[in-house]
Amino acid sequence: MSVIRLNRILLAGAMLSLAALASGCSSIDRLSQIGEKPKLTEIENPTTQPGYKPVQMPMPKPEQASYNANSLWRNGSRAFFKDQRASRIGDLLTVTVNITDKANIANETQRSRTSKEDSGITDFIGAQTITQPNKILPGRILTTDSTSSSDGKGSVNRQEALQTNVAAVVTQVLPNGNLVVEGKQEIRVNFEIRELIVAGIVRPEDIQSDNTIESSKIAQARIAYGGRGQITDVQQPRYGQQVMDVLLPF
């Protein structure tokens, strides 16, 4: 047994052991929650979460703001006395998620080619005078045949629709005035939790007067919709099967 093969077997054994250990810890947690509803996550500050990083984008040079003297009106205001739209860290706004994606693509490519090469000598320096010329000189020096063909087909038929609203909080104000927003919504129905996560960068000008914004106007949008619970758990393959799908080369 070679050293490389032995290392692979040891690596596979270690991976299976880790998977079994993780599965055991997860199983203990699941056993302790039998008969209990899935717990909702606590409301936390997004900026204190592990892995959170402030968004950094290319910014123009800051310009000094100008104000009109002896005027009660502010440029960009939607109300005479105060603009009710989100503009500062901690402000809330409603994101209207309206995703309707439909794609139907079909293509086909066909190719065929046939070639034939045939060369020979019928009479080479008086070969016909020989009694049995076929035994001395071949009738055909080179004969080749070639045929190739290919037929490729592909199709895509996808249709997705998601319509909902979620409240987001402003977590950062960029130097050019754009707002970084993040919102999370969890809904528990019986023993299944559905969660919706929305994050991205919005322009204050795109926020409507009722403090709402469409998801299509969010730059660098990150929208996730999924869930967890008994139904989701049944739809997932077991840990052992997932490990074998990664390790098996066939």
Side-chain angles (χ1 to χ4, degrees):
M1 183 179 296
S2 62
V3 178
I4 298 177
R5 186 176 181 183
L6 180 60
N7 292 335
R8 291 181 178 178
I9 294 176
L10 293 176
L11 178 60
M15 293 293 294
L16 291 175
S17 300
L18 291 175
L21 180 61
S23 177
C25 297
S26 177
S27 299
I28 294 175
D29 294 337
R30 291 173 58 191
L31 288 174
S32 63
Q33 297 176 0
I34 291 180
E36 300 290 338
K37 297 180 180 179
K39 296 182 179 179
L40 298 174
T41 56
E42 298 180 356
I43 299 176
E44 299 177 350
N45 186 357
T47 60
T48 60
Q49 298 299 316
Y52 174 81
K53 295 182 180 180
V55 177
Q56 296 181 356
M57 300 291 290
M59 294 292 120
K61 295 182 179 179
E63 299 179 359
Q64 186 176 1
S66 59
Y67 300 92
N68 297 326
N70 301 327
S71 176
L72 297 178
W73 183 260
R74 295 184 303 167
N75 295 331
S77 297
R78 296 293 182 91
F80 185 79
F81 295 102
K82 185 179 180 181
D83 191 353
Q84 300 294 333
R85 297 176 301 173
S87 60
R88 297 179 300 178
I89 295 178
D91 289 349
L92 302 179
L93 75 159
T94 302
V95 179
T96 302
V97 181
N98 189 359
I99 299 176
T100 303
D101 187 11
K102 183 177 181 181
N104 191 353
I105 303 173
N107 51 44
E108 180 179 359
T109 302
Q110 293 182 350
R111 184 185 67 177
S112 62
R113 180 175 62 184
T114 302
S115 62
K116 183 177 180 180
E117 298 289 340
D118 192 359
S119 62
I121 300 177
T122 57
D123 190 0
F124 181 71
I125 312 179
Q128 297 295 334
T129 61
I130 302 176
T131 305
Q132 294 180 346
N134 294 332
K135 295 183 178 180
I136 301 175
L137 297 175
R140 291 288 181 266
I141 295 179
L142 178 63
T143 301
T144 61
D145 293 323
S146 175
T147 302
S148 64
S149 63
S150 64
D151 187 2
K153 298 180 180 179
S155 62
V156 175
N157 189 359
R158 183 182 72 249
Q159 184 173 1
E160 300 172 348
L162 176 61
Q163 296 180 354
T164 184
N165 297 329
V166 59
V169 60
V170 178
T171 60
Q172 187 180 352
V173 179
L174 300 179
N176 64 344
N178 290 342
L179 308 178
V180 181
V181 299
E182 182 176 350
K184 183 177 181 181
Q185 182 185 81
E186 293 186 357
I187 302 175
R188 182 174 64 193
V189 180
N190 296 333
F191 290 88
E192 189 74 12
I193 289 182
R194 312 303 295 175
E195 62 179 5
L196 173 65
I197 300 176
V198 177
I201 304 174
V202 302
R203 294 192 314 167
E205 295 82 0
D206 294 332
I207 302 176
Q208 301 180 10
S209 58
D210 58 351
N211 200 32
T212 62
I213 187 172
E214 298 178 1
S215 59
S216 59
K217 296 182 180 179
I218 300 178
Q220 300 294 325
R222 301 293 184 268
I223 301 176
Y225 181 73
R228 64 181 188 273
Q230 294 181 354
I231 297 177
T232 304
D233 183 69
V234 173
Q235 293 176 342
Q236 298 296 324
R238 299 291 84 191
Y239 293 110
Q241 181 179 352
Q242 296 182 24
V243 173
M244 298 305 295
D245 290 339
V246 175
L247 295 179
L248 291 179
F250 49 84

